């Protein structure tokens, strides 16, 4: 038999390796930022176009590369960071595998300009799919500029697999923030499509956090500090009253590397025990320093997990340190952002006069009020009032015309069909609506447990889940509006001003067009302010923050195999936050509207999240039950 084993050509091998290192624009951003830090940069600039799909450029003022090194850097396993295997146990650089540049160059158009200190001229190299196109001398500032264009240009399947710009941008910003938070002593800037997203001068940790998450963050932070033989803890937790329901800033850094750890997260959550509002998540920025010999950072380029030798001790220490800080923040001096103390600790409270802890009572809290359904969206108790749900039927205004078209289920018209519930057997569960009780109720629908709508059809009866059904109706309506662009806005007398973090605003900016097609009119979007001048007629002003929060959290949690398109996410998310919930009483008109609109939908039987919207029970089913 002839020999059949061949060595893969380099460019093929590189492309295969790239699959591991480069999954999306954010992976490129991470690798390049880390290279700039390893090069000792004091200022790093990230420029991104189309969420990194068109361009990712990193400009640093680090040590640069010589002519030969510049060429070598694109070879696989070419690294300046380790020389022997022993170096692996004594790492103080982020990279060492020598794979990133080779991998990136295999799947993109790359342009490198670099000049080391002292050299008169620099080197300019262009590579496309591992092939060197240009190598020439050039004038360039000291440091390195690396531009990665048209990622996955030669792997269409990978390119198509990328998600919407808003989702990819979210990942890019996440990586940027993690690196920027780990290195407050380095200046960072980030630009997206010519707009400036972040401008972070070098400073202390608190200034960095505030630079990223906005000025209001300052007053929310509680310092955390502890030093023991095995561990140093520094950083901040966010006061419990500012915790968020669906989004939260949760950052652990171990020896300046961002890591994820469900176990340590649990320790923090345990420290907040009893302090967090229902379903809220703790936010924190915690920096742990441990002896590198006692951890095994999984150095796979895309992994952020870590193993500690003595996890239990860390858990206990973290928990008690945070508990201690939280217990003291009410008597800690107000933290002054301008003071240049990197980590104000509350430990000097002994020198201060005693301040009685404040007890805050929420007088509007009513435990008997109907509980909002889970995942209603992050509520921001401080800047908006409870949505006015009683006016929900306004959403149907103008929809009557479509309501009966294409209906696939025929409803009986006779009033008598409602008699089933008037027998007195089940008066509690099926409550004909008060407003119509006593008068002649022409309705043939009933509400069951304030959750289901029961109606009769020719073959028997149909039981509709009001929340899921309404989601379907709104989803199709929004989808139509977004794609056909024919929605109506109501101009607001006074513009609505909401505050969001830079990241959140960038995401909103990405979705702006879609939102405008549903009827939103935006004014100024800058700093941390979002100004809204007009809203869709189908929502009330107080629902706006709910809708936007839900949208942001849906984008964040979007799972890889769910809705690829941004339009779809937008429509789903708006439908979810605006749909009438279980527990809300519907009058007969609203019920009828909902039923008619549901069956006028293209796909009435399933909700946008693929749940049943209704079930039918036929006469035969009933006959069988009574046998
Ligand atoms: P690694 O970071 O694992 O060494 P990379 O492929 O990321 O591998 O980079 C290869 C080499 O190129 C690095 O070891 C470093 O010497 C050089 N290099 C990469 N980026 C920069 C940069 N921004 N400034 C200076 N040198 C760089
Ligand atoms: Mg590297």
């Amino acid at each position: 038999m002839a020999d059949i084993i061949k060595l893969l050509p380099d460019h093929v091998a590189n492309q295969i390796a790239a699959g591991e290192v480069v999954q999306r624009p954010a992976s490129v951003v991470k690798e390049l930022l880390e290279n700039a830090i390893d090069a000792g940069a004091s200022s790093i600039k990230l420029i991104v176009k189309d969420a990194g799909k068109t361009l990712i450029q990193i400009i640093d003022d680090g040590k640069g590369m010589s002519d030969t090194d510049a060429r070598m850097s694109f070879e696989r396993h070419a690294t300046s960071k380790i020389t022997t295997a022993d170096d692996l146990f004594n790492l103080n650089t982020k990279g060492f595998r020598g794979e990133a540049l080779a991998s990136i160059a295999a799947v993109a158009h790359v342009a490198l300009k670099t000049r080391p200190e002292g050299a008169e001229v620099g080197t300019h190299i262009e590579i496309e799919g591992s092939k060197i196109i240009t190598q020439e001398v050039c004038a360039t500032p000291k440091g390195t500029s690396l531009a990665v264009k048209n990622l996955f240009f030669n792997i269409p399947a990978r390119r198509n697999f990328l998600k919407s710009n808003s989702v990819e941008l979210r990942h890019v910003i996440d990586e940027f923030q993690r690196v920027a938070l780990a290195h407050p002593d380095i200046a960072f800037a980030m630009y997206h499509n010519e707009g400036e997203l972040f401008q972070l001068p070098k400073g202390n940790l608190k200034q960095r956090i505030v630079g990223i998450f906005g000025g209001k963050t300052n007053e929310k932070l509680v310092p955390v500090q502890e030093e023991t033989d095995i561990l140093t803890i520094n950083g901040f937790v966010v006061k419990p009253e500012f915790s968020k329901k669906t989004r939260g800033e949760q950052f652990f850094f171990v020896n300046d590397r961002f890591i994820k750890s469900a176990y340590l997260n649990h320790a923090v959550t345990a420290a907040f025990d009893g302090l967090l509002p229902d379903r809220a998540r703790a936010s924190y920025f915690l920096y742990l320093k441990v002896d590198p010999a006692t951890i095994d950072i999984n150095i796979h380029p895309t992994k952020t997990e870590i193993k500690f030798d003595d996890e239990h001790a860390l858990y206990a220490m973290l928990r008690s340190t945070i508990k201690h800080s939280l217990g003291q923040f009410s008597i800690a001096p107000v933290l002054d952002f301008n003071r240049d103390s990197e980590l104000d600790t509350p430990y000097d409270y002994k020198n201060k006069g005693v301040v009685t802890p404040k007890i805050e009572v929420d007088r509007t809290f009513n435990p008997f009020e109907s509980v909002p359904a889970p995942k209603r969206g992050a509520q921001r108790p401080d800047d908006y009032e409870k949505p006015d749900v009683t006016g929900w039927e306004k959403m149907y205004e103008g929809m009557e015309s479509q309501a009966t078209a294409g209906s696939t289920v025929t409803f009986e018209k006779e009033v008598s069909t409602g008699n089933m519930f008037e027998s007195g057997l089940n008066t509690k569960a099926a409550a004909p609506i008060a407003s119509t009780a006593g008068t002649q109720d022409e309705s043939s629908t009933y509400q069951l447990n304030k959750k289901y709508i029961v109606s009769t059809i020719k073959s028997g009866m149909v039981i509709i889940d009001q929340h899921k059904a309404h989601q379907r109706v709104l989803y199709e309506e929004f989808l139509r509006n977004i794609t056909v662009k024919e929605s109506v806005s109501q101009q607001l007398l006074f513009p609505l001003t909401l505050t969001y973090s830079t990241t959140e605003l960038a995401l909103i900016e990405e979705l702006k067009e879609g939102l405008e097609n549903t009827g939103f009119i935006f004014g100024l979007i800058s700093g941390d302010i979002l100004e809204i001048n007009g809203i869709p007629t189908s929502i009330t002003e107080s629902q706006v923050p709910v809708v936007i929060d839900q949208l942001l959290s849906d984008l964040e949690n979007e799972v890889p195999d769910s809705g690829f398109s941004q339009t779809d996410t937008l429509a789903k998310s708006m439908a979810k936050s605006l749909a009438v919930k279980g527990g809300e009483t519907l009058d007969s008109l609203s019920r009828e509207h909902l039923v008619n609109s549901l069956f006028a939908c293209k796909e009435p039987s399933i909700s946008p999240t693929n749940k049943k919207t209704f079930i039918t029970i036929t006469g035969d089913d009933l006959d069988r039950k009574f046998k």
Side-chain angles (χ1 to χ4, degrees):
M1 181 180 153
D3 300 334
I4 50 172
I5 298 180
K6 289 190 251 18
L7 275 179
L8 288 174
D10 266 359
H11 70 277
V12 178
N14 281 341
Q15 220 181 69
I16 294 170
E20 231 187 291
V21 183
V22 187
Q23 270 135 11
R24 55 182 359 143
S27 356
V28 175
V29 168
K30 174 173 185 273
E31 292 295 337
L32 299 189
L33 285 174
E34 291 188 347
N35 279 349
I37 287 166
D38 285 346
S42 64
S43 165
I44 300 174
K45 205 189 274 181
L46 166 63
I47 300 166
V48 172
K49 289 220 169 89
D50 302 325
K53 294 175 185 172
T54 313
L55 172 76
I56 297 162
Q57 184 174 15
I58 302 243
I59 304 169
D60 69 53
D61 61 355
K63 64 174 182 254
M65 284 177 264
S66 73
D67 192 27
T68 321
D69 281 356
R71 173 64 198 82
M72 271 294 282
S73 69
F74 292 104
E75 295 292 336
R76 210 139 52 99
H77 309 306
T79 179
S80 58
K81 297 169 192 175
I82 53 170
T83 39
T84 71
D86 286 344
D87 294 344
L88 271 176
F89 301 99
N90 194 15
L91 269 180
N92 41 30
T93 55
K94 308 245 170 194
F96 63 88
R97 295 161 56 112
E99 265 179 344
L101 291 188
S103 299
I104 294 166
V107 295
H109 296 158
V110 175
L112 166 74
K113 282 186 176 180
T114 185
R115 179 169 72 84
E117 178 105 73
E120 251 164 43
V121 286
T123 309
H124 173 199
I125 293 181
E126 297 211 2
I127 299 193
E128 293 182 359
S130 299
K131 272 201 285 301
I132 300 211
I133 308 289
T134 322
Q135 172 156 14
E136 60 192 13
V137 168
C138 75
T140 182
K142 178 213 158 203
T144 303
S145 154
L146 207 113
V148 178
K149 292 175 213 157
N150 310 321
L151 187 62
F152 299 136
F153 78 99
N154 51 357
I155 318 182
R158 289 298 285 276
R159 195 164 170 92
N160 293 338
F161 189 70
L162 292 177
K163 316 238 0 225
S164 65
N165 281 4
S166 53
V167 172
E168 294 299 341
L169 180 64
R170 168 87 236 176
H171 287 289
V172 168
I173 291 175
D174 279 349
E175 291 297 351
F176 174 84
Q177 287 182 343
R178 289 167 186 175
V179 176
L181 281 171
H183 299 274
D185 52 331
I186 298 175
F188 286 89
M190 175 173 173
Y191 303 85
H192 183 233
N193 294 342
E194 266 96 51
E196 179 188 293
L197 286 191
F198 297 96
Q199 190 62 255
L200 308 168
K202 68 190 269 186
N204 62 34
L205 180 53
K206 189 191 253 185
Q207 287 164 334
R208 179 53 48 95
I209 294 172
V210 169
I212 293 178
F213 297 101
K216 282 195 184 158
T217 320
N218 191 29
E219 71 214 47
K220 302 179 186 172
L221 300 176
V222 179
V224 174
Q225 194 175 40
E226 181 64 282
E227 219 178 312
T228 70
D229 292 346
I230 62 162
L231 166 76
T232 320
I233 307 173
N234 271 328
F236 297 91
V237 292
V238 171
K239 291 181 190 169
E241 67 258 39
F242 296 111
S243 58
K244 295 179 179 176
K245 289 218 168 116
T246 52
R247 287 168 288 135
E249 277 92 36
Q250 305 188 318
F251 295 93
F252 276 121
F253 299 89
V254 173
N255 298 353
D256 292 337
R257 239 176 236 272
F258 172 82
I259 61 129
K260 281 185 186 149
S261 164
Y263 189 68
L264 294 186
N265 176 60
H266 194 274
V268 180
T269 311
F272 274 86
D273 189 30
L275 295 172
L276 288 172
D278 193 23
R279 282 195 303 273
R281 302 193 306 191
S283 296
Y284 50 81
F285 308 86
L286 293 169
Y287 295 71
L288 314 187
K289 288 252 156 66
V290 294
D291 179 353
T294 68
I295 50 169
D296 171 17
I297 290 196
N298 185 331
I299 35 173
H300 186 277
T302 59
K303 295 266 165 62
T304 45
E305 280 84 28
I306 190 171
K307 279 206 196 84
F308 298 98
D309 276 0
D310 195 353
E311 259 187 351
H312 296 301
L314 287 193
Y315 183 102
M317 240 176 271
L318 194 58
R319 197 184 106 153
S320 68
T321 305
I322 294 170
K323 244 190 149 85
H324 181 71
S325 297
L326 284 172
Q328 299 204 330
F329 82 80
S330 59
I331 46 171
V334 174
L335 303 165
D336 180 4
F337 175 48
N338 292 321
R339 249 162 58 195
D340 210 8
S341 51
E342 163 137 3
L343 290 163
D344 271 335
T345 71
Y347 296 112
D348 61 346
Y349 70 94
K350 288 184 223 83
N351 313 329
K352 308 277 186 269
V354 176
V355 179
T356 331
K358 267 201 286 199
I359 298 175
E360 278 171 20
V361 179
D362 179 4
R363 291 182 197 286
T364 60
F365 176 69
N366 173 1
F368 303 106
E369 211 169 50
S370 59
V371 188
K375 293 215 74 181
R376 169 167 210 150
Q379 302 247 356
R380 313 180 147 222
D382 48 346
D383 41 58
Y384 70 90
E385 346 135 41
K386 197 171 182 295
D388 171 17
V389 285
T390 54
W392 74 274
E393 57 281 274
K394 273 218 310 229
M395 293 167 212
Y396 292 108
E397 274 171 9
M399 286 191 64
E400 252 135 314
S401 51
Q402 314 144 1
T404 42
S407 179
T408 48
V409 182
T410 356
F411 290 87
E412 285 190 21
K413 290 286 174 281
E414 302 95 302
V415 186
S416 61
T417 50
N419 286 344
M420 176 179 167
F421 296 108
E422 280 156 22
S423 60
L425 282 172
N426 199 4
T427 42
K428 250 193 203 136
I433 299 311
S435 64
T436 52
T439 66
Q440 218 186 356
D441 189 356
E442 291 288 311
S443 162
S444 58
T445 59
Y446 291 88
Q447 203 183 14
L448 195 68
N449 291 348
K450 291 192 181 170
K451 197 172 168 199
Y452 300 105
I453 298 170
V454 183
S455 185
T456 47
I457 51 176
K458 285 252 163 64
S459 59
M461 70 182 193
V462 55
I463 301 172
I464 298 167
D465 181 310
Q466 63 187 45
H467 178 57
K468 298 202 178 81
H470 197 197
Q471 275 194 43
R472 163 54 62 183
V473 172
L474 292 174
Y475 169 68
E476 293 199 5
E477 186 193 336
F478 286 130
L479 215 50
R480 205 162 40 236
N481 286 346
I482 297 170
T483 45
V484 182
K485 310 186 178 184
E486 59 175 17
S487 60
V488 220
S489 306
Q490 41 175 329
Q491 199 81 29
L492 297 175
L493 205 50
F494 302 104
L496 198 62
T497 316
L498 302 169
T499 47
Y500 290 97
S501 70
T502 321
T503 319
E504 291 167 340
L505 281 186
L507 290 180
I508 293 170
E509 189 97 56
E510 276 299 309
L511 291 169
K512 200 170 154 205
E513 202 188 325
L515 284 163
E516 281 170 348
N517 291 338
T518 68
F520 279 99
I521 304 172
F522 294 103
L524 189 75
I525 305 184
S526 85
D528 54 359
I529 298 288
L530 174 69
E531 202 178 83
I532 300 174
N533 295 325
I535 57 176
T537 44
S538 50
I539 73 175
T540 65
E541 214 175 310
S542 54
Q543 286 171 320
V544 172
V546 186
V547 172
I548 295 182
D549 277 356
Q550 179 73 52
L551 187 61
L552 290 169
S553 110
D554 284 350
L555 284 172
E556 191 164 310
N557 302 328
E558 199 182 11
V559 280
D561 55 350
S562 81
F564 255 63
S565 98
Q566 190 167 300
T567 321
D568 194 63
T569 313
L570 182 60
K572 263 190 199 144
S573 173
M574 288 186 62
K576 186 154 64 175
S577 48
L578 291 169
V580 60
K581 305 288 187 298
E584 289 175 29
T585 305
L586 305 182
D587 63 22
S588 65
L589 200 66
S590 316
R591 297 196 304 265
E592 225 115 293
H593 263 313
L594 181 51
V595 174
N596 287 333
S597 319
L598 176 67
F599 290 104
C601 282
K602 289 206 183 95
E603 278 194 73
S605 58
I606 49 160
S607 77
T609 47
N610 281 327
K611 304 265 164 48
K612 270 186 202 157
T613 53
F614 67 86
I615 55 163
T616 51
I617 299 177
T618 62
D620 289 347
D621 292 336
L622 289 172
D623 289 346
R624 250 174 275 132
K625 288 240 184 254
F626 286 105
K627 259 185 196 142

